[in-house]
Amino acid sequence: MKEVLDKHYRRLADEYDNFLDYSPEFVRALTSRMVQKLALEPGDVLADIGCGTGIYSLDILRQVSLREPVIGVDPFAEMLAKIPDEATIVPVAEDALVFSRRPAAYNKVLIKETIHHVPARDEFFANMYGNLPPGGIMLLVHVPPDVQYPLFDAALARCLNWHADPAVLQEQLAAAGFRVEREGLDIRHRLPKEHYHRMVRSCYMSVLTSFSEEELAAGLAEMEEKHADLEVLEFIDHFDYLTAVKPQ
């Protein structure tokens, strides 16, 4: 999987925001819930693990005037390079597991659609539990395996084993000592068919990068047939918000 992820994120950096930022309303729907679940206040120190281009931290900073810079952690320098120079985000080019092994001063942690890429999650969660102070919060915003996207069948099937099971994540977090709450958020998208097909052609999801060029072409042909009579695709984007609190 590491080779797939390296290829995916290094190649996608230039178009990441175009594909993940469906609209300002979409980003704000996600980040306003993040602010709420993290109980963010100006005095908090936030670590955004798997921050990518900083798309979510930047919007969080528009809502909460954090006095300390966000710690933006991502293993791909190509992604971190897209964070605006003036942003109050300190980029850390590091793997999530490696970062977790180093004690650091933060009390809130955001992990948006990254946890399924983290190996040795039991160790990672235990490390994060040890690093957070009592009352510290780690929020996982996660797309579950049974995605409802208008993808080709083989991609939907592969997602079932590509994304992490939220029930398993809850168990792992609880085993590390966290008190865990789970809540869902559904967002309805309406996208021009051609735009969404271009997103798939560009492998906007990491799972799509795992297909060969021939398999991807066949999948797109299947999608063209499925959506022949449609100009706009409507679908639900479901996110699980797993709030993990270290007890006082």
Side-chain angles (χ1 to χ4, degrees):
M1 181 185 284
K2 185 178 185 305
E3 290 183 4
V4 171
L5 296 181
D6 284 353
K7 176 182 178 183
H8 175 73
Y9 287 106
R10 294 187 194 285
R11 177 182 49 77
L12 190 63
D14 286 339
E15 292 197 276
Y16 185 82
D17 285 4
N18 292 334
F19 291 157
L20 274 294
D21 185 355
Y22 291 103
S23 70
E25 294 77 19
F26 167 72
V27 173
R28 181 54 58 93
L30 291 172
T31 58
S32 61
R33 186 69 62 89
M34 293 171 185
V35 168
Q36 175 194 357
K37 292 299 179 183
L38 285 165
L40 276 176
E41 299 178 350
D44 289 330
V45 179
L46 174 65
D48 182 355
I49 298 180
C51 68
T53 61
I55 179 174
Y56 300 107
S57 279
L58 288 168
D59 198 57
I60 286 172
L61 288 167
R62 295 183 186 105
Q63 299 169 66
V64 184
S65 298
L66 297 177
R67 292 194 285 269
E68 296 294 330
V70 173
I71 305 167
V73 183
D74 200 282
F76 300 103
E78 294 86 348
M79 288 288 193
L80 294 173
K82 300 298 179 182
I83 298 175
D85 292 339
E86 68 276 12
T88 53
I89 299 174
V90 175
V92 177
E94 205 161 60
D95 171 89
L97 187 58
V98 172
F99 176 77
S100 75
R101 290 170 177 159
R102 292 189 299 100
Y106 49 80
N107 67 325
K108 303 291 174 68
V109 178
L110 171 65
I111 305 177
K112 164 68 166 63
E113 286 188 80
T114 299
I115 198 62
H116 57 300
H117 297 326
V118 177
R121 281 197 293 270
D122 288 334
E123 179 192 348
F124 174 75
F125 290 148
N127 291 344
M128 297 306 293
Y129 184 89
N131 291 342
L132 284 166
I137 301 174
M138 181 166 64
L139 176 66
L140 278 59
V141 182
H142 178 64
V143 173
D146 55 337
V147 298
Q148 304 301 308
Y149 304 159
L151 292 166
F152 55 96
D153 289 346
L156 292 171
R158 191 165 295 182
C159 283
L160 294 174
N161 294 313
W162 194 266
H163 292 195
D165 184 333
V168 173
L169 292 174
Q170 282 183 275
E171 292 174 2
Q172 292 174 322
L173 287 164
F178 288 103
R179 187 176 73 248
V180 188
E181 294 180 357
R182 176 180 171 187
E183 184 178 295
L185 175 66
D186 287 339
I187 298 177
R188 180 177 292 278
H189 295 302
R190 295 186 78 257
L191 295 178
K193 176 178 68 176
E194 293 307 318
H195 178 70
Y196 188 76
H197 284 203
R198 185 171 74 84
M199 290 170 61
V200 174
R201 192 174 297 110
S202 297
C203 298
Y204 82 105
M205 298 173 66
S206 60
V207 68
L208 295 170
T209 304
S210 69
F211 289 92
S212 68
E213 290 185 10
E214 293 77 14
E215 290 170 330
L216 188 62
L220 282 160
E222 177 190 316
M223 288 170 58
E224 290 288 355
E225 184 174 349
K226 278 184 181 179
H227 307 148
D229 298 329
L230 300 174
E231 293 298 325
V232 174
L233 301 180
E234 296 191 34
F235 58 98
I236 295 294
D237 215 349
H238 177 83
F239 296 90
D240 280 312
Y241 280 64
L242 299 175
T243 307
V245 181
K246 181 172 179 176
Q248 296 277 4

